[in-house]
Amino acid sequence: MEKIYFDHAATTPVRAEVLEAMLPYFTEQYGNPSSIYEIARSAKKALETARDKSAAALGADPAEIFFTGGGTESDNWAIRGIAELYENKGSHIISSRIEHHAVLHTCESLKKRGFEVTYLPVDEDGIIRISDLEKAIRPDTILITIMTANNEIGSIQPIEAIGALARAKGIAFHTDAVQAVGHVPINVKSHNIDMLSLSAHKLYGPKGVGALYVKKGIPLRSFIFGGGQERGRRAGTENIPGIVALGRAIELAVSEMEEDSRRLTALRNKLIDGILASVPHTRLNGSKDKRLPNNVNVSFEFIEGESLLLLLDMKGIFASSGSACTSGSLDPSHVLLAIGLSHEKAHGSLRITLGRSSTEEQAEYFLKELPPIVSRLRDMSPLYEEYLKTSRQRISK
Ligand SMILES: *Cc1c(COP(=O)(O)O)cnc(C)c1O
């Protein structure tokens, strides 16, 4: 049976060109870039080439790119770094209700240290309102941290407007762009972004490596203490193979973005239309058009997303019911609750995230397999039975 990987928002495979680029840095070119002999110099050169490529992808200066151990570390560093840097200026942070846990839990940790956090609500499409942001800004606001694109429902925020407002008010603006970089166009200069987090494994690079863009002039302090790597801002011997891979992956992603985006948007819409047409009592979660090209998120009434995932798995289809980080917990997704879903509907959600391996044939196979699986689950569902009973009573009245 063919395996259909529909979970690219959880992680992506390392693509061949990226693996090829990183391999020599495990074996022949294993030097520590802080040393001075030949194999160290070539490692140092590879590090700086990767920095140039990462900067070019964002419209940043290479001196503004700092490599980290992934998206989570970048988010922690940006938020805690600003809190520490500006704690004498103020103690108020603005974020949103639909952030990744790497941002939410970091903000929560700061609350315990006396910071106040306003989590902006989102509309039914999963997008913040600029007027809400304007109202939330206070004289003691030191940071706005709002994600570029959501990992669960794919909604894309008005980053440019947020950045412009933050700049006008003199407030630092960080965005978690882990789901957006390499998928939708981003330019840190025209979008007025002060700090941006990204991660290699969401764009066909390896896990455990990412970057934080920090605008020149923001003296964000080191978050990890030790040696003087990354110009004294991020200690620890550099993960050269990973960083080389990130540079290659981001370069490829950006150069292929337009074409990939066109192809995936068509495939995404085919899936959304097909699901809504073939399964009754189903809704699309998130915006129709302000949405990542690869994201489908739907809720099926009367069923449990987890059971749906198991039956899809038996058909060789790998998808997600919310975010991989929260599975294993029975709490419904905070993102789906934030866009107004009931607990019941949030539990019946399915996320499909497409990628380079996704094809028309896979979409067709999925659309053929899905309706009987949903029917089977509904036939076993006491909620559905209840619904049928009350609707029959309504008709007979
Ligand atoms: C995956 C993800 C992260 C975490 O990145 P890691 O590299 O896995 O630590 C953070 N934010 C968003 C939006 C993500 O999708």
Side-chain angles (χ1 to χ4, degrees), residues 316-336:
I317 299 164
F318 308 150
S320 159
S321 70
S323 84
C325 320
T326 52
S327 58
S329 118
L330 287 175
D331 295 336
S333 145
H334 65 283
V335 176
L336 296 177

Side-chain angles (χ1 to χ4, degrees), residues 156-368:
I156 298 175
Q157 303 300 328
I159 290 302
E160 213 170 326
I162 299 170
L165 187 56
R167 183 139 310 170
K169 302 275 183 184
I171 301 165
F173 172 41
H174 165 252
T175 187
D176 173 340
V178 172
Q179 291 289 338
V181 172
H183 298 270
V184 290
I186 294 180
N187 183 298
V188 291
K189 297 281 174 303
S190 66
H191 292 173
N192 299 305
I193 297 166
D194 295 320
M195 285 167 292
L196 176 148
S197 303
L198 64 90
S199 175
H201 79 100
K202 304 286 174 76
L203 42 91
Y204 304 93
K207 295 161 187 66
V209 59
L212 182 67
Y213 151 82
V214 184
K215 189 174 180 255
K216 232 177 273 172
I218 299 181
L220 204 65
R221 286 184 215 127
S222 187
F223 179 61
I224 292 186
F225 297 94
Q229 293 90 352
E230 295 295 277
R231 288 145 288 145
R233 310 277 282 275
R234 203 284 187 176
T237 303
E238 301 86 341
N239 171 8
I240 299 296
I243 290 169
V244 167
L246 169 56
R248 185 73 180 118
I250 202 168
E251 175 183 46
L252 287 165
V254 168
S255 74
E256 296 169 5
M257 181 157 53
E258 220 179 290
E259 197 187 320
D260 274 1
S261 158
R262 205 175 312 119
R263 188 180 81 84
L264 293 180
T265 301
L267 206 52
R268 173 197 80 187
N269 292 345
K270 178 190 178 111
L271 279 165
I272 292 174
D273 296 343
I275 295 168
L276 296 180
S278 63
V279 185
H281 309 295
T282 301
R283 56 162 279 158
L284 174 69
N285 296 318
S287 167
K288 252 190 136 109
D289 50 350
K290 289 188 184 66
R291 181 178 203 103
L292 286 173
N294 72 339
N295 177 289
V296 176
N297 191 312
V298 286
S299 284
F300 302 103
E301 268 187 82
F302 317 118
I303 66 171
E304 286 287 335
E306 301 297 316
S307 330
L308 180 57
L309 291 190
L310 290 176
L311 295 184
L312 287 172
D313 185 15
M314 286 165 64
K315 298 285 180 189
I317 299 164
F318 308 150
S320 159
S321 70
S323 84
C325 320
T326 52
S327 58
S329 118
L330 287 175
D331 295 336
S333 145
H334 65 283
V335 176
L336 296 177
L337 296 181
I339 60 170
L341 263 66
S342 62
H343 280 233
E344 215 172 75
K345 280 187 184 156
H347 273 304
S349 79
L350 175 72
R351 179 185 75 177
I352 294 169
T353 42
L354 306 169
R356 287 169 42 78
S357 61
S358 309
T359 62
E360 293 276 334
E361 291 70 36
Q362 291 182 347
E364 277 151 24
Y365 174 75
F366 173 84
L367 288 172
K368 177 168 72 71

Side-chain angles (χ1 to χ4, degrees), residues 94-98 118-122 128-129 132-134 136 144 146:
I94 299 173
S95 188
S96 85
R97 286 191 195 158
I98 63 162
T118 301
Y119 297 104
L120 297 178
V122 291
I128 67 135
R129 297 177 194 83
D132 286 341
L133 174 60
E134 244 170 334
I144 296 170
I146 292 175

